[in-house]
Amino acid sequence: MGPLRCIVVATDFSATAERAVQRAARVAQAHKAELHLLNVVRPLDLYPGLTMAPDEFGHYDQELQQAEQTRLEALAARLADEWGIRAQATTRLGRAHAEIAAYAQEVAADLVVAGARGENTLMDLFLGSTASRLLRLAACPVLLVRRAADTPYQQVLAAVDFSPVSAAVVEHALRLADGAPVLALHVLGSEVEQRLRRAKRNQADVTVWLNRLRGDAETQLDTLLAHVEHGASVARRVQPGFSPAAICQCIEDCHADLVVLGRHGHGGGLQDWMLGSVSKDVAFAAPCDVLLIGLGGA
């Protein structure tokens, strides 16, 4: 897997976005990547209840876009000085998630960085945040930032389910860890959790069965890491449980500041996003930054 060459970070100049910008700058510095700062101006005609003539909408949109471009260029210049990186500023007019995804594809971005929550309106809560909608559209890995970027990542957790994307999950975890410890976690899953609960109610002994499952998973994990560069340096853990809860618990136990996982893994698709996939649940419940990888490492 090659180095990161182009990173796109979206900002609306909020405190959440500032954390994303600082993390993106830190990653860009570490990988000698070019940083693209993107601000998307929401057109006035997308706001319900506004009554203006079409030419008035366009006039105000252009004025706002120009003002945001000036503000963004100043931010890019400051980041270039502070971090010693190449940074450029671009504004777009439209819906944030669609414009971010389109711009990332246009510049062949290796990574998109965004705050875990940006726009925070009542409508946003009903329809889903910009970040959640971006995850459905972006063709490259997406890093959702929650924590301040005061230091490089100190502990990275790679959650794998042995689906085709798992190797890319570990590779990206190692790349962003930049030498920090990486722990590969496999959760045996909800079926095991349900069976354990039934066994407990029935006072049945499932130790042999559980040990066999754990042993099989450990063998799969060893095989996966054997095919990943520097995989030998990755710690590993297998445990039963409900996957989102187990991953979040492991984040707390090992004090991870970044968790990496596949966007869908097994059983992904539109239904997964409507009903809640493991990746979506973790992305919006984890107390740390979250990097989501699609098939093929995208």
Side-chain angles (χ1 to χ4, degrees), residues 25-26 28-35 76-87:
R26 182 177 289 280
Q29 182 192 55
H31 291 266
K32 297 180 173 58
E34 184 173 59
L35 182 63
R78 176 168 61 83
L79 291 172
D81 288 341
E82 287 181 3
W83 295 95
I85 59 176
R86 292 167 293 147

Side-chain angles (χ1 to χ4, degrees), residues 34-243:
E34 184 173 59
L35 182 63
H36 291 246
L37 291 100
L38 178 65
N39 173 262
V40 181
V41 175
R42 185 183 177 97
L44 288 178
D45 60 7
L46 292 182
Y47 289 91
L50 289 180
T51 56
M52 299 174 68
D55 58 336
E56 289 182 289
F57 276 124
H59 174 72
Y60 283 112
D61 287 340
Q62 289 178 6
E63 282 192 344
L64 180 57
Q65 188 172 2
Q66 183 56 55
E68 297 293 78
Q69 179 69 28
T70 301
R71 188 178 181 187
L72 200 64
E73 287 173 355
L75 175 59
R78 176 168 61 83
L79 291 172
D81 288 341
E82 287 181 3
W83 295 95
I85 59 176
R86 292 167 293 147
Q88 56 177 285
T90 303
T91 58
R92 290 287 178 89
L93 190 67
R95 298 182 185 275
H97 62 289
E99 293 299 328
I100 296 167
Y103 182 80
Q105 188 167 14
E106 181 182 313
V107 299
D110 300 303
L111 178 68
V112 170
V113 184
R117 197 144 190 96
E119 302 167 4
N120 195 14
T121 63
L122 183 60
M123 184 180 295
D124 215 27
L125 294 175
F126 281 112
L127 299 182
S129 69
T130 294
S132 67
R133 285 175 284 180
L134 174 61
L135 291 175
R136 305 175 206 177
L137 295 181
C140 63
V142 177
L143 174 63
L144 301 180
V145 176
R146 276 196 175 85
R147 294 185 176 179
D150 299 330
T151 63
Y153 290 123
Q154 303 296 305
Q155 173 69 59
V156 179
L157 176 65
V160 299
D161 60 2
F162 305 135
S163 65
V165 76
S166 292
V169 166
V170 177
E171 289 169 350
H172 280 82
L174 285 163
R175 182 158 69 171
L176 262 69
D178 200 23
V182 175
L183 171 64
L185 169 70
H186 175 72
V187 181
L188 292 176
S190 57
E191 181 182 349
V192 174
E193 174 77 1
Q194 292 167 8
R195 188 161 176 177
L196 288 173
R197 289 178 184 274
R198 288 197 300 270
K200 186 175 181 179
R201 285 198 303 268
N202 298 330
Q203 297 183 330
D205 187 358
V206 294
T207 303
V208 174
W209 171 77
L210 183 59
N211 285 341
R212 177 175 57 80
L213 285 183
R214 189 189 301 272
D216 291 344
E218 288 171 348
T219 299
Q220 285 184 274
L221 194 54
D222 288 340
T223 301
L224 170 68
L225 295 176
H227 292 88
V228 174
E229 186 178 4
H230 305 302
S233 63
V234 177
R236 53 210 72 186
R237 180 185 298 181
V238 175
Q239 66 183 66
F242 176 61
S243 294

